[in-house]
Amino acid sequence: AKGTEAFSKAIALLSSTESLWEKADALVAAGQSKLRTVRERMTLLFRAEELFASGPIPVRREEVSRLIQELETTSRPTGAGATASRA
């Protein structure tokens, strides 16, 4: 709980100072943290992706897009159907 509180406070502080790149970096860090649910992590990564999309460095947006794809892939349920389709 302390870890999620720390991320939330950092993001709120960066929002109030309009430090967009630093806020986006904090969102990425929080989105990669296993302290949050997959849904929360996806939301944070999407927010970071939006911030990076508005900037002059498309590489950062692409990096976050890859993180989102990886999280989607690793968070898919592994039922019998999913296992059979991989074999």
Side-chain angles (χ1 to χ4, degrees), residues 2 7-10 14 16 21 36-37 44 47 55-57 62-63 67 70 72 81:
K2 287 185 180 183
F7 276 127
S8 296
K9 286 180 183 179
L14 291 168
S16 68
W21 305 122
R36 297 181 178 269
T37 66
L44 294 166
R47 287 174 56 199
I57 307 171
E62 293 167 8
E63 290 171 0
L67 291 172
E70 289 172 13
E72 286 176 335

Side-chain angles (χ1 to χ4, degrees):
K2 287 185 180 183
T4 56
E5 281 182 39
F7 276 127
S8 296
K9 286 180 183 179
I11 292 166
L13 177 64
L14 291 168
S15 294
S16 68
T17 62
E18 297 186 22
S19 302
L20 295 180
W21 305 122
E22 291 81 0
K23 178 182 176 182
D25 283 333
L27 289 166
V28 170
Q32 291 180 297
S33 170
K34 301 219 187 301
L35 297 174
R36 297 181 178 269
T37 66
V38 171
R39 183 177 179 177
E40 291 170 326
R41 293 169 63 193
M42 292 293 283
T43 299
L44 294 166
L45 290 172
F46 279 123
R47 287 174 56 199
E49 184 182 41
E50 288 174 6
L51 290 174
F52 283 128
S54 66
I57 307 171
V59 173
R60 288 294 285 143
R61 184 189 154 277
E62 293 167 8
E63 290 171 0
V64 176
S65 294
R66 280 193 293 277
L67 291 172
I68 292 168
Q69 289 174 348
E70 289 172 13
L71 186 56
E72 286 176 335
T73 301
T74 59
S75 66
R76 287 191 184 131
T78 56
T83 305
S85 65
R86 288 186 202 164

